[in-house]
Amino acid sequence: MRVLKIIFIIVSLLIIIVFLSAMHQISMMNVPGNFNTIMYTIIVVLISISALNILYHIKSFRFYRRKENQRLDKKLHKLFWVIGFAFPIFLFVLLSFSVYGNSARFASGLYSADELVLVVILFVVSIVEFTETVQLQKRIKKLRETRDIKMEIDDIGEFN
C-alpha cells in the first residue's frame, strides 16, 4: 500500500502539471469570458484539491509504516479525510462530465486512443484512490483496536 500512496502522489503531481499547462493554453486562446471563467475555476479547484490530496497522502503515509513508527495516538485531521474522499469524487465527476460531453465524438469514432487511455486511467485512479481511503480508515480502526487489546493484556497482572 505504501507504493500505491507514492503512485497517488505522483499522479496528483502530474495532474497539477497538466492542468497548469492547460491553464496557460486557455489564456493564449481567444474565447468568450464566461468560458474562461468556468475553465479557470475548474482548473484552480482541481489543482488545489490535488495539492491537498498530496498532503493527505504524505500525512497518512505513517499508518503503513512499522508498528513503532505509526503513532496511532496522533489522529489524521478531518480535513485530510474530506480531501481523501473529495479528490477522487471530484475527479470521477469531472471525467464523467467530460465523457458525457464528448460522447457524440466518441460514438462517431473521432477520438484518439491516447484520450481514451487517459480517461480510463484517471477513472481507475479515482476509484482505487477512493477505495484506498476507505480501506485506510478500516486499517486505522483495526490497528487501534489491536493496540488497545495488547495494552489491556499487558495491564493484566500489574498491581497499582
Side-chain angles (χ1 to χ4, degrees):
M1 289 301 256
R2 293 179 345 177
V3 172
L4 192 60
K5 283 227 175 264
I6 293 169
I7 291 170
F8 288 149
I9 290 171
I10 292 169
V11 167
S12 293
L13 282 171
L14 289 174
I15 287 172
I16 290 172
I17 291 168
V18 166
F19 280 92
L20 281 173
S21 172
M23 187 180 282
H24 176 70
Q25 292 295 325
I26 291 171
S27 69
M28 303 301 263
M29 295 170 30
N30 290 329
V31 293
N34 288 342
F35 177 78
N36 276 347
T37 305
I38 292 169
M39 290 309 294
Y40 282 147
T41 303
I42 291 172
I43 289 173
V44 166
V45 168
L46 187 60
I47 289 171
S48 302
I49 204 167
S50 294
L52 290 171
N53 188 50
I54 291 170
L55 286 175
Y56 158 74
H57 285 298
I58 291 170
K59 290 283 192 178
S60 64
F61 194 79
R62 72 170 183 258
F63 295 109
Y64 292 111
R65 293 181 183 155
R66 283 182 259 129
K67 291 182 182 182
E68 56 272 1
N69 295 334
Q70 287 175 344
R71 297 181 302 170
L72 294 174
D73 294 329
K74 189 175 179 183
K75 293 185 177 185
L76 196 59
H77 196 275
K78 290 179 182 177
L79 175 66
F80 290 118
W81 287 118
V82 170
I83 294 301
F85 286 112
F87 176 74
I89 290 170
F90 185 76
L91 190 60
F92 187 82
V93 168
L94 191 63
L95 287 167
S96 298
F97 281 128
S98 174
V99 168
Y100 179 74
N102 291 311
S103 60
R105 196 168 58 94
F106 287 138
S108 64
L110 299 174
Y111 62 91
S112 69
D114 295 342
E115 289 176 310
L116 191 59
V117 167
L118 180 66
V119 168
V120 168
I121 288 172
L122 289 177
F123 267 124
V124 169
V125 165
S126 66
I127 292 169
V128 172
E129 189 153 342
F130 185 85
T131 305
E132 187 274 333
T133 304
V134 170
Q135 292 300 320
L136 179 60
Q137 282 187 328
K138 290 179 182 178
R139 176 181 171 80
I140 291 170
K141 184 178 178 182
K142 186 175 182 178
L143 286 171
R144 285 187 178 141
E145 287 173 356
T146 304
R147 182 200 59 190
D148 291 344
I149 290 171
K150 285 182 181 180
M151 287 174 60
E152 287 177 13
I153 290 172
D154 289 344
D155 288 345
I156 295 176
E158 286 186 17
F159 294 107
N160 291 330

